[in-house]
Amino acid sequence: MSVTKSFGRGSGGEVLALQDVDLHVGKGELVLLTGPSGAGKTTLLRTIFAAERPEGGEIVVAGRNISRLRRSSIPFLRRNIGVIFQDFKLLKDRSAIDNVAITLDIRGIRRKESHARALEALGAVGLAEAAEKRVSCLSGGEQQRIAIARAVVGVPAILLADEPTGNLDPELSHDILDLLDSISRRGTTVMLATHDPMVVANASCTRLVRLERGRIVAMEQGVRAPIAPPRLLTPTPQGLDAGVLQPAEALS
Amino acid sequence: MIRPGYFVRQALRGMRAKPMIQLAAVGAIAVGLLLVGVAVVCALNVERLANHWGRGTQLTVYLKQDATRARADALAKLLRSRHEVARVRYISPRDARKRLGESLGSRAALLADVEPDFLPASLEVELSREADGAQARAIVALLGAARGVEEVDYLGRWAQRLGTLVGLMRTGAILVAAIIALACLYIVGSTIRLGVYARREEIEIQQLVGATPAFVRAPFMLEGALQGLVGGALALLALYVFHSIAAPEIEGALASLLARLDVAFLSPLQLCLGLVGGVLLGLVGSTVATGRYVEAA
């Protein structure tokens, strides 16, 4: 991708959120986007799933330029991109399983199957037992894991995570990072945005990209930790065995 | 893949989640349709009343002074050939004078020095019971243009004025119904928008995970259609109750003033149209209400 994005045209002036960001991410990579607040990390992720349109440049996913995608094609792009939002974006009055299954419901998958797969995804993040609980009754950490389960249940080719550990204690943060690492090792491309130095220091990644004022100011090779089964997956390993977290080969 | 079951579940879930908003939407639709229904029933009955008054009417065709008896007979023959005409009677100037004298009673002596032929000859025309106001007006127009006719008196032109009035009332009723329907659409749209606003987060999330606009809209459309159906049924029920209460009163008042006339209610077809109207109102309201949020993503 090579993109430029600005906000606030008009009397309030213009802020360049992204300036000539040029980045190529390979399949199965885990890229860590770092930088202070306002650096453009979230905007970059949002342009990838077409929540923002870049003014300049292009974003190519699996050989397809998505920056000029027709509006009617955006839903189908999003079905291949899992997103973990900083504020979770969960329906608080619904059960955990309903929140995860929504990704499959919108594809027209039958309720029984969508719930079975949602349960597997919840099992993969260690929340199978909380499947029927209302989201509002769960802790921040549990809600974050539901958001992860929802992002991966559709078997996306790309997983975008915006501050996925922002609301978690250090131990749980570590578990979430392990889980994302595990997902990436199975072929899903993961892009993780964080401003947390602890995450930057501890996360296993293939590349570390630092953004400041909308520009890439540094890019370095990351350190990938030795393969170890994440602890979150231990209680219900059937989730992985059933192929819940196997990524799609390509966008279709 | 279309999954009606999913959409029905979502629609019912939405309705259960915000019952007061549902109630407001159903109420707005019911009140709006009730007002439209009242306007329609009024227009319907005014029309019936006008037609009723037009029936069995006597037309008086005054002939010119120089019109011969043969011309009068020709006109009478022409009138008798029309199915709207029940009876035609020739009144000679002398007969007319005699009638006038009878109507004056004790003051008939006033006519003593008056020429016996001072009144014009005329034809008294009785229209058949089936003839309505429009047909009567057509006969009047025909006679007005006929040779030898001085003037046509159609209930002293009163019925014609009534016809004009009925036309105005009909147009007015249609206008009122249209204005009410538009106002109702606005209110219903605003009320449904409240429900959509309460679920904007759900709409946003659905779109973020890849739902198409049609998928997001479907439960709201279904919800709107259900609200419209229930609102429409309630409006028709209320209209029926009002009709049952008010009709005998109105019929009683009319009977003492004019003539016996049953105050009509809507036909089965009109009732069905009322329900369809409710459903359409709900659907249009939902489309307008969801538009902003669905397009925004």
Side-chain angles (χ1 to χ4, degrees), chain B residues 137-157:
Chain B
R137 286 192 290 277
I139 298 267
V140 171
L142 177 78
L143 289 167
R147 192 161 51 84
V149 174
E150 178 71 43
E151 191 185 353
V152 182
D153 196 359
Y154 174 36
L155 282 181
R157 302 282 176 197

Side-chain angles (χ1 to χ4, degrees), chain A residues 71 78-79 89 94 108-109, chain B residues 3 202 205 207 210 295:
Chain A
R71 187 178 280 270
R78 289 181 181 169
R79 292 178 192 187
K89 291 212 182 297
R94 304 274 180 91
I109 294 171
Chain B
R3 293 177 52 209
E202 181 182 346
I205 291 169
Q207 293 188 113
E295 297 300 327

